[in-house]
Amino acid sequence: MLDSHHHQGKFGHDYIRVLASAAGLVWSTDDLDVDGVDLTIKQPGRTKYGHSPQIEVQIKTVSRPKYRQGQLIFGGLSHTQFNQLAGIDFAVPRYLFAVHVPAVADLFTDSVTGGLMLRHTGYFLSLRDRARFAVDNPKRKVSVSIPVSNVLDVEALATLVAGSPR
């Protein structure tokens, strides 16, 4: 069995993979995480933005979220992780996906009439408009505010990928 930290993280990744599959998107992972990208998600084929638009995402989970004024306050990014998402100079758009998961693994899913429910909710945030930290300190944490209106569902994920300008 996985320890609770790894179990929570794996569920967060699987949550995003399920959304991608439901949206008709494909996902991949690099063989080694060297630049903070957990998944690449793309739409196969031609779109108005070109052939096979894609995004790169860093996935984080939170089991005890803090909300303030319509924002999820996520404090789990190191300066290094923040710098891997911030700015405009990426060939492929990058997003932070924060998945609120139950604190108890037994509550990650539930069988309901007609289907399987995944708990709880994913959110997305672009840090394109943020400046990177000059000193890349992997031990210092930074908080980011994610609007709770940025719910990551099938439609939002498809829109992020298909509407990702190069």
Side-chain angles (χ1 to χ4, degrees):
M1 296 291 291
L2 293 172
D3 65 64
S4 62
H5 178 74
H6 286 105
H7 195 179
Q8 178 177 310
K10 180 173 177 3
F11 179 76
H13 284 234
D14 292 340
Y15 185 102
I16 302 304
R17 290 180 184 111
V18 167
L19 287 178
S21 295
L25 305 170
V26 295
W27 58 266
S28 62
T29 59
D30 292 338
D31 64 338
L32 185 62
D33 180 359
V34 293
D35 65 356
V37 174
D38 293 319
L39 288 178
T40 299
I41 304 172
K42 75 176 181 178
Q43 178 182 332
R46 293 213 174 270
T47 72
K48 65 181 179 180
Y49 294 108
H51 192 72
S52 297
Q54 60 186 320
I55 60 172
E56 295 176 330
V57 300
Q58 188 173 120
I59 303 166
K60 297 295 181 189
T61 58
V62 57
S63 61
R64 291 175 177 81
K66 296 176 183 152
Y67 296 97
R68 186 172 49 236
Q69 298 177 338
Q71 309 271 322
L72 167 66
I73 310 303
F74 183 76
L77 283 181
S78 71
H79 281 197
T80 301
Q81 293 165 331
F82 180 92
N83 284 349
Q84 291 170 329
L85 295 168
I88 61 171
D89 58 344
F90 295 103
V92 174
R94 289 191 176 186
Y95 292 90
L96 170 64
F97 286 178
V99 182
H100 170 202
V101 301
V104 179
D106 290 347
L107 300 176
F108 285 175
T109 65
D110 194 11
S111 295
V112 295
T113 303
L116 176 70
M117 179 172 49
L118 303 177
R119 290 196 181 93
H120 287 287
T121 305
Y123 301 95
F124 65 90
L125 181 67
S126 170
L127 296 174
R128 284 181 58 86
D129 62 341
R130 302 286 195 88
R132 291 184 182 97
F133 290 102
V135 177
D136 195 6
N137 184 342
K139 294 184 180 186
R140 288 205 58 198
K141 296 288 186 182
V142 61
S143 289
V144 295
S145 298
I146 305 172
V148 295
S149 59
N150 286 8
V151 171
L152 187 64
D153 57 16
V154 169
E155 182 180 343
L157 182 58
T159 299
L160 289 176
V161 174
S164 58
R166 300 265 173 213

